[in-house]
Amino acid sequence: MIKVQNVSKKLGQKLVLNDVSFTLSKGGITSIIGANGAGKSTLLSLISRLLPLDQGQVSFDDLDIVKTPSDVLAKKISILTQSNYISARLTVLQLVMFGRFPHHKGRPQATDHAHVGKILALMELEDIAHRFIDQLSGGQQQRAYIAMILSQDSDYILLDEPLNNLDMKHARNIMKSLRKIADEMNKSIILVIHDINFAAAYSDLFIALKDGKIIVQGGVDEVMTEANIELIYDMQASIKTIDGKKHAFYYT
């Protein structure tokens, strides 16, 4: 279970998050949505300990992120940020194996190789496993970094804009893979995402931020209403159900 209690954060003189609280049960996919500047990435950075808390408390399965040692927390949560850069020249295989470090401590065993092979297949990276990261397209690099995070095999997976640089086909495949991981491996996945229709198709819950506060929270059917979408994004929208999935359409 994730508990976020009374979290606030200032960046410079701006209050980016204001007294944010929520609790999430183990498992499933939660999408954090909202307009640019709503505080989505800051919230993800705070709960993953990439940024220090100004106020409040965050815990994963009763482990306080401030008090828990990093090596323990690394087996509990993993995080993919929007900006990913590794200076070393690594192949895709080496990068994904790097994600296993909290488990193998630099000495990969047969179980680590088997797990990495499974993740490479899941992310459709087997054919380019021995290519260097700097030789890949932006979309291929993004899939490789996501694979590195998944190979960490943490209980909680935090992803900031994982669909960046991906075309529609690969974005769909990524979301399908995340759905499979959440369902079959009982992982908790929390992602910041701009495409609300992709989010609605694959998520269990929405947390909607606006001006640093949670303004709507709940299941997809609860949140995906015209009134809520207009409140979140300040623009006129209509909601249609297509093949059993809700889709938002915006008007200029």
Side-chain angles (χ1 to χ4, degrees), residues 46-64:
L46 288 170
I47 65 177
S48 62
R49 210 166 69 172
L50 292 180
L51 284 176
L53 294 165
D54 288 351
Q55 173 187 307
Q57 185 177 34
V58 177
S59 65
F60 291 83
D61 298 335
D62 295 325
L63 295 176
D64 187 308

Side-chain angles (χ1 to χ4, degrees), residues 235-252:
M235 61 189 304
Q236 188 177 359
S238 66
I239 303 295
K240 300 185 185 299
T241 301
I242 303 173
D243 294 331
K245 303 291 185 181
K246 287 194 171 185
H247 294 260
F249 295 85
Y250 305 101
Y251 297 91
T252 57

Side-chain angles (χ1 to χ4, degrees), residues 224-238:
M224 283 283 280
T225 67
E226 292 176 1
N228 282 337
I229 298 306
E230 291 175 6
L231 176 64
I232 297 165
Y233 294 101
D234 288 326
M235 61 189 304
Q236 188 177 359
S238 66

Side-chain angles (χ1 to χ4, degrees), residues 93-133:
L93 177 60
Q94 290 170 329
L95 179 70
V96 178
M97 183 60 77
F98 181 74
R100 293 291 298 167
F101 188 83
H103 301 274
H104 63 59
K105 304 294 185 183
R107 296 188 176 187
Q109 305 297 314
T111 53
D112 299 300
H113 289 287
H115 186 78
V116 165
K118 179 181 177 181
I119 296 300
L120 289 171
L122 182 67
M123 300 302 294
E124 301 178 344
L125 293 168
E126 292 173 299
D127 291 344
I128 59 173
H130 297 286
R131 289 180 60 186
F132 288 102
I133 295 297

